[in-house]
Amino acid sequence: MKNFKETMKEIMTMAWGFVRRNGYTMSEALKVAWANFKLKVAMKQRIVRFYFRKVDGSIREAFGTLAEGMVPATKESGRKQNDTCQTYFDTEKMDWRCYKKANLLNIA
């Protein structure tokens, strides 16, 4: 588990990225960064329903998880991780998916 200082650094870095790349105000950016952080923590424990805006503008409802007992084993691909996207295991499609962190709308 991360300590408070590391958690705040992750959230502030994500928020400043939203301000620079997406033109968000700092208030909007912090709300989205906190939502992404809370979603990631929740997905590590259970299946979570959440909503995000797809690139084409439509809204998608997703059921995803990162819990170790629920996802298939993966091997390291050697690819560089993209900081603007969050990957998750879609429990409806039974496959890995991702969304742009800046497009997260709601966690149900």
Side-chain angles (χ1 to χ4, degrees), residues 56-75:
D56 67 3
S58 61
I59 295 176
R60 166 133 157 55
E61 176 185 40
F63 293 89
T65 187
L66 295 172
E68 290 198 20
M70 298 181 191
V71 298
T74 58
K75 59 182 178 192

Side-chain angles (χ1 to χ4, degrees), residues 32 43 47 49-51 58 83 89 101:
V32 175
M43 282 197 300
I47 297 171
R49 181 174 73 173
F50 59 98
Y51 299 88
S58 61
D83 292 334
F89 187 75
K101 291 179 182 179

